Amino acid sequence: MPDRQPTLDEQIAIYQREYRDLDPQVEKVVNALSRLDRRMSVAYGRQLATLDLGNAEWEVLKELVMAGEPYQLWPGTIAKRLGLTPAAMTHRIDRMLTQGLVTREQDPDNRVRVIIGLTDTGREKWLQVMRKASVFEEDLLQDLNTEERGHLGELLTRLLRRVEDAQPDAGGRLTDLE
Amino acid sequence: MPDRQPTLDEQIAIYQREYRDLDPQVEKVVNALSRLDRRMSVAYGRQLATLDLGNAEWEVLKELVMAGEPYQLWPGTIAKRLGLTPAAMTHRIDRMLTQGLVTREQDPDNRVRVIIGLTDTGREKWLQVMRKASVFEEDLLQDLNTEERGHLGELLTRLLRRVEDAQPDAGGRLTDLE
DNA sequence: AAGCTAAAGTTCGACACTAAAGAGTACACA
DNA sequence: TGTGTACTCTTTAGTGTCGAACTTTAGCTT
């Protein structure tokens, strides 16, 4: 009973033995994607820990920066994009408020709405993480030359378009985030 | 305050405005990866829900099948591969036992060790999920021809090698799962 | 206008995970 | 042979998230 994790190819070979109709080429791409994301998450997690930031807070920070000036979003919007319930969002914001990363104010146009804003501290924190992360990211892509990086980015973008632009009426197999 | 999620390119453009030294090519790849994984997770989650299976249970099932005959692993091994604490593993196994997906027995060679085994029910469940998932996966890659799929798989594998084979002494930037 | 319906966010109870402490076992070394 | 040390899994207390009920508001309908 070996303790070593099977390589991607070993994994797929066994899967195929269990389920003969499986397409190895598809399986390779899909499983490589999920393995990569897991490793990246761990790596990010370590960087974040050194900056006293949790992954939950980091996700919210990213969304607010991504929104651009004036760095404001509704809680419900952030929740949807992150795949969280509104309840979880409420608590995350609570925590981030005490850390001075965000502000919470009432929407003047709709009194039941709330506006989450990024503080300067929050923006600075985002920058600190990105500076550290970019080192890791560059390291991850080290073995690919510029052309390969571009090609990879292009292929991934096409996959992404397929899921992010998915229309519910187009067969319903690919469903969007809500 | 638009509710629409920024596209990948919009996201990177804004990031670059915030942090000028950022490499857009690298950022595109990394963010596409994480976006894709999120979408895939949602898609898998829906398939699993229709089969009365949680993502936690699914992860364990995958590891046991991946181990191959005789479908046995130590709890600690599974925990490490999934990035969980041993405590979480104990509880997951408890739940899966009541669902008849796995067995838990004492290791004859070491009485403090435990062996988790896959039941026929568990293997059947894995197969059911894979059958449903393969439809989604094929759909995801629909816009790529065979050559492109192969190329994508190869590029991703090279990235994966970089993180999974990472030696702690090679600079320490890329760290393995433990 | 008045009431109805839909929507946003918060509160509450249940559950899964983490960190840390604990119990039991194997192995190394004197 | 006895002791120390490392290792494996479980137990316990605290934290985060989910599902669901609830409050408040906006906008539609008649």
Side-chain angles (χ1 to χ4, degrees):
Chain A
M1 192 152 31
D3 204 48
R4 180 182 61 79
Q5 183 191 31
T7 65
L8 181 57
D9 287 327
E10 286 169 350
Q11 172 185 2
I12 291 167
I14 294 184
Y15 275 17
Q16 221 174 351
R17 218 172 299 146
E18 297 288 326
Y19 178 26
R20 303 196 183 283
D21 289 348
L22 217 55
D23 182 336
Q25 215 176 28
V26 170
E27 216 56 27
K28 186 157 180 169
V29 169
V30 168
N31 285 283
L33 279 171
S34 89
R35 282 193 184 211
L36 269 172
D37 190 78
R38 188 186 298 278
R39 297 288 182 163
M40 283 171 48
S41 298
V42 172
Y44 278 108
R46 301 200 182 184
Q47 310 286 3
L48 292 173
T50 68
L51 293 169
D52 283 311
L53 198 69
N55 186 63
E57 289 76 16
W58 170 237
E59 286 185 337
V60 176
L61 242 39
K62 270 193 295 186
E63 289 299 332
L64 282 168
V65 171
M66 199 188 306
E69 303 271 9
Y71 308 108
Q72 291 181 337
L73 286 173
W74 294 304
T77 302
I78 307 178
K80 241 176 255 166
R81 295 196 192 156
L82 299 182
L84 296 173
T85 59
M89 210 55 230
T90 297
H91 297 311
R92 280 197 186 185
I93 300 299
D94 286 345
R95 275 177 276 146
M96 296 179 73
L97 273 175
T98 70
Q99 300 171 44
L101 298 171
V102 298
T103 57
R104 168 157 47 193
E105 45 187 289
Q106 208 177 51
D107 188 331
D109 295 338
N110 185 331
R111 275 185 298 168
V112 80
R113 274 218 150 129
V114 168
I115 295 182
I116 307 302
L118 190 63
T119 64
D120 288 343
T121 306
R123 228 166 100 233
E124 181 54 35
K125 203 74 168 175
W126 177 88
L127 199 58
Q128 287 173 8
V129 175
M130 288 304 281
R131 272 198 278 256
K132 282 209 165 194
S134 59
V135 176
F136 155 74
E137 293 165 353
E138 172 58 37
D139 206 33
L140 174 71
L141 295 189
Q142 187 177 323
D143 294 342
L144 271 53
N145 61 37
T146 302
E147 193 190 354
E148 290 169 326
R149 296 179 184 191
H151 197 177
L152 178 56
E154 192 255 337
L155 289 170
L156 291 174
T157 304
R158 280 166 63 194
L159 257 51
L160 198 56
R161 237 197 310 275
R162 182 106 190 102
V163 274
E164 292 196 338
D165 297 353
Q167 303 302 328
D169 53 279
R173 292 221 198 93
L174 288 173
T175 47
D176 61 3
L177 274 175
E178 233 68 357
Chain B
M1 192 151 34
D3 205 46
R4 179 182 63 77
Q5 184 192 30
T7 65
L8 181 59
D9 287 327
E10 285 170 350
Q11 172 185 1
I12 292 168
I14 294 183
Y15 275 18
Q16 222 175 348
R17 217 172 299 144
E18 296 289 327
Y19 178 26
R20 303 194 184 283
D21 289 349
L22 217 53
D23 181 337
Q25 215 176 26
V26 170
E27 216 56 27
K28 186 158 182 170
V29 169
V30 168
N31 286 283
L33 279 171
S34 90
R35 281 192 185 213
L36 269 172
D37 190 77
R38 188 187 297 279
R39 297 288 182 163
M40 283 171 47
S41 298
V42 171
Y44 278 107
R46 301 198 182 184
Q47 311 287 3
L48 292 173
T50 68
L51 293 169
D52 283 310
L53 198 69
N55 186 65
E57 289 76 16
W58 168 238
E59 285 184 338
V60 176
L61 243 39
K62 270 193 296 186
E63 289 299 332
L64 282 169
V65 170
M66 200 186 307
E69 302 270 10
Y71 308 108
Q72 293 181 337
L73 286 173
W74 294 303
T77 303
I78 308 178
K80 240 175 256 167
R81 294 196 192 156
L82 300 181
L84 296 173
T85 60
M89 212 54 231
T90 298
H91 297 311
R92 280 197 185 184
I93 300 299
D94 286 343
R95 274 177 276 147
M96 296 180 73
L97 273 176
T98 70
Q99 301 172 43
L101 298 172
V102 298
T103 58
R104 166 157 48 192
E105 45 187 290
Q106 208 177 50
D107 188 331
D109 296 337
N110 185 331
R111 276 185 296 170
V112 79
R113 272 213 152 135
V114 168
I115 296 182
I116 307 303
L118 190 62
T119 64
D120 288 343
T121 306
R123 230 166 99 233
E124 180 53 37
K125 204 73 170 176
W126 177 89
L127 199 59
Q128 287 173 7
V129 175
M130 288 303 282
R131 272 197 278 257
K132 281 209 165 194
S134 59
V135 176
F136 156 73
E137 294 165 352
E138 172 57 37
D139 206 33
L140 175 70
L141 296 189
Q142 188 177 324
D143 295 342
L144 270 52
N145 62 37
T146 302
E147 192 189 356
E148 290 168 327
R149 294 179 186 192
H151 198 177
L152 177 56
E154 191 254 337
L155 289 170
L156 290 174
T157 304
R158 280 165 64 192
L159 257 51
L160 198 55
R161 236 197 309 276
R162 181 107 191 103
V163 273
E164 292 197 337
D165 297 352
Q167 302 302 329
D169 53 279
R173 292 218 196 96
L174 288 173
T175 47
D176 60 5
L177 274 175
E178 233 69 357

